Amino acid sequence: MLNRVVLVGRLTKDPALRYTPNGVAVANFTVAVNRPFSNKQGDQEADFVNCVAWRRPAENLAQFMNKGSQVGVDGRLQTRSFDNQEGQRVFITEVVADSVQFLESKKNNQGSGQSSNQSPPPNNQSDEPIDISDDDLPF
Protein backbone atom coordinates (compact mmCIF):
# COMPACT_ATOMS: atom_id res chain seq x y z
CA MET A 1 0.00 0.00 0.00
CA LEU A 2 1.07 3.54 -0.67
CA ASN A 3 -0.06 6.74 1.03
CA ARG A 4 2.03 9.62 -0.30
CA VAL A 5 1.10 13.26 -0.89
CA VAL A 6 3.24 15.89 -2.57
CA LEU A 7 1.99 19.48 -2.71
CA VAL A 8 3.40 22.78 -3.94
CA GLY A 9 1.51 25.92 -3.05
CA ARG A 10 1.33 28.99 -0.86
CA LEU A 11 0.44 29.33 2.80
CA THR A 12 -3.00 30.87 3.24
CA LYS A 13 -2.09 32.32 6.67
CA ASP A 14 0.79 32.22 9.12
CA PRO A 15 1.40 28.72 10.52
CA ALA A 16 -0.16 28.15 13.95
CA LEU A 17 2.57 26.78 16.24
CA ARG A 18 1.71 25.21 19.58
CA TYR A 19 3.18 22.62 21.90
CA THR A 20 1.69 19.43 23.30
CA PRO A 21 1.67 18.95 27.10
CA ASN A 22 4.87 16.90 26.62
CA GLY A 23 6.58 19.83 24.85
CA VAL A 24 6.38 18.50 21.28
CA ALA A 25 6.01 21.25 18.66
CA VAL A 26 3.09 21.01 16.22
CA ALA A 27 2.19 23.48 13.47
CA ASN A 28 -1.10 23.55 11.60
CA PHE A 29 -1.16 25.28 8.24
CA THR A 30 -3.16 25.42 5.02
CA VAL A 31 -1.63 25.31 1.56
CA ALA A 32 -3.43 26.78 -1.45
CA VAL A 33 -2.64 24.56 -4.44
CA ASN A 34 -3.63 25.69 -7.93
CA ARG A 35 -5.58 23.21 -10.01
CA PRO A 36 -3.95 22.31 -13.35
CA PHE A 37 -6.92 23.61 -15.35
CA SER A 38 -9.20 26.64 -15.55
CA ASN A 39 -12.95 26.74 -14.96
CA LYS A 40 -15.54 27.69 -17.62
CA GLN A 41 -14.92 31.39 -17.00
CA GLY A 42 -11.19 30.91 -17.59
CA ASP A 43 -10.26 31.44 -13.94
CA GLN A 44 -7.70 29.24 -12.20
CA GLU A 45 -9.14 27.62 -9.10
CA ALA A 46 -7.27 26.34 -6.07
CA ASP A 47 -7.70 23.67 -3.43
CA PHE A 48 -7.02 24.55 0.19
CA VAL A 49 -5.32 21.61 1.88
CA ASN A 50 -5.01 21.40 5.66
CA CYS A 51 -1.60 20.19 6.83
CA VAL A 52 0.21 19.49 10.09
CA ALA A 53 3.94 19.34 10.82
CA TRP A 54 5.57 18.05 13.99
CA ARG A 55 8.76 18.72 15.97
CA ARG A 56 11.61 20.68 14.37
CA PRO A 57 9.93 21.01 10.93
CA ALA A 58 6.99 22.64 12.72
CA GLU A 59 9.24 25.12 14.51
CA ASN A 60 11.17 25.94 11.32
CA LEU A 61 7.95 26.46 9.39
CA ALA A 62 6.57 28.87 12.00
CA GLN A 63 9.88 30.73 12.29
CA PHE A 64 10.74 31.18 8.62
CA MET A 65 7.47 31.07 6.67
CA ASN A 66 4.38 33.25 6.75
CA LYS A 67 1.20 33.93 4.80
CA GLY A 68 1.93 33.81 1.07
CA SER A 69 5.16 31.83 1.36
CA GLN A 70 5.60 29.15 -1.28
CA VAL A 71 6.23 25.70 0.20
CA GLY A 72 6.57 22.12 -0.93
CA VAL A 73 5.01 19.51 1.33
CA ASP A 74 5.84 15.80 1.27
CA GLY A 75 3.76 13.63 3.54
CA ARG A 76 0.82 11.30 3.94
CA LEU A 77 -2.93 11.67 4.07
CA GLN A 78 -4.53 11.01 7.44
CA THR A 79 -8.15 11.00 8.59
CA ARG A 80 -9.16 11.27 12.22
CA SER A 81 -12.38 11.86 14.07
CA PHE A 82 -13.66 13.13 17.39
CA ASP A 83 -16.96 13.98 19.07
CA ASN A 84 -17.61 17.73 19.30
CA GLN A 85 -19.34 19.54 22.18
CA GLU A 86 -22.74 18.79 20.65
CA GLY A 87 -21.95 15.07 20.62
CA GLN A 88 -21.62 14.92 16.82
CA ARG A 89 -18.84 12.95 15.17
CA VAL A 90 -16.45 15.26 13.27
CA PHE A 91 -14.06 13.89 10.64
CA ILE A 92 -10.86 15.69 9.70
CA THR A 93 -8.66 14.84 6.73
CA GLU A 94 -5.22 16.44 6.61
CA VAL A 95 -1.73 15.94 5.24
CA VAL A 96 0.80 14.95 7.89
CA ALA A 97 3.99 16.52 6.57
CA ASP A 98 7.14 14.42 6.74
CA SER A 99 9.05 17.37 5.30
CA VAL A 100 8.30 20.94 4.31
CA GLN A 101 10.55 22.57 1.73
CA PHE A 102 10.87 26.34 1.69
CA LEU A 103 10.67 27.22 -2.00
CA GLU A 104 11.54 30.87 -1.59
CA SER A 105 13.55 32.81 0.92
CA LYS A 106 11.91 34.94 3.56
CA LYS A 107 13.47 38.00 1.92
CA ASN A 108 11.68 37.24 -1.37
CA ASN A 109 8.35 36.98 0.42
CA GLN A 110 8.44 40.23 2.40
CA GLY A 111 7.19 42.41 -0.44
CA SER A 112 8.69 45.43 -2.11
CA GLY A 113 9.62 48.64 -0.42
CA GLN A 114 10.96 47.01 2.70
CA SER A 115 14.62 47.21 3.43
CA SER A 116 16.75 46.06 6.28
CA ASN A 117 19.78 47.77 7.74
CA GLN A 118 20.73 44.76 9.83
CA SER A 119 24.25 43.45 9.71
CA PRO A 120 24.80 39.80 8.80
CA PRO A 121 24.54 37.30 11.66
CA PRO A 122 27.81 36.37 13.38
CA ASN A 123 29.83 33.31 12.35
CA ASN A 124 28.57 33.48 8.75
CA GLN A 125 25.20 32.09 9.82
CA SER A 126 22.15 33.37 8.02
CA ASP A 127 18.49 33.36 8.89
CA GLU A 128 17.77 31.37 5.74
CA PRO A 129 16.22 27.93 6.34
CA ILE A 130 18.34 24.97 5.46
CA ASP A 131 17.04 22.16 3.32
CA ILE A 132 17.52 19.10 5.50
CA SER A 133 15.21 16.29 6.49
CA ASP A 134 15.18 14.42 9.79
CA ASP A 135 16.61 11.37 7.94
CA ASP A 136 19.80 13.35 7.23
CA LEU A 137 20.48 14.12 10.89
CA PRO A 138 22.95 11.89 12.75
CA PHE A 139 20.85 11.80 15.93
Side-chain angles (χ1 to χ4, degrees):
M1 290 189 253
L2 180 65
N3 181 355
R4 201 93 216 124
V5 175
V6 178
L7 303 170
V8 174
R10 296 196 177 272
L11 297 178
T12 62
K13 58 186 173 184
D14 292 348
L17 179 67
R18 59 186 170 80
Y19 291 86
T20 67
N22 293 333
V24 178
V26 58
N28 293 88
F29 58 103
T30 302
V31 179
V33 181
N34 286 337
R35 293 181 179 170
F37 54 86
S38 299
N39 62 19
K40 290 180 182 179
Q41 292 77 30
D43 298 324
Q44 181 120 27
E45 295 179 347
D47 292 301
F48 299 90
V49 183
N50 293 325
C51 303
V52 62
W54 292 87
R55 296 177 180 77
R56 191 67 185 154
E59 292 175 324
N60 286 340
L61 181 70
Q63 182 178 358
F64 295 109
M65 297 287 105
N66 51 21
K67 179 180 178 178
S69 297
Q70 188 176 36
V71 296
V73 178
D74 182 18
R76 61 186 167 79
L77 200 59
Q78 176 176 287
T79 301
R80 58 188 170 90
S81 63
F82 64 92
D83 292 329
N84 66 12
Q85 293 177 345
E86 291 81 33
Q88 298 171 324
R89 178 68 87 195
V90 177
F91 291 91
I92 296 176
T93 301
E94 60 196 355
V95 173
V96 178
D98 294 328
S99 69
V100 179
Q101 306 296 315
F102 306 150
L103 300 180
E104 62 187 3
S105 70
K106 192 173 186 177
K107 293 175 191 168
N108 291 343
N109 190 40
Q110 287 180 342
S112 60
Q114 296 181 353
S115 62
S116 173
N117 293 330
Q118 297 176 341
S119 61
N123 300 329
N124 291 332
Q125 296 175 350
S126 72
D127 62 356
E128 298 291 324
I130 58 171
D131 182 17
I132 189 167
S133 72
D134 289 343
D135 296 332
D136 295 331
L137 299 175
F139 47 88

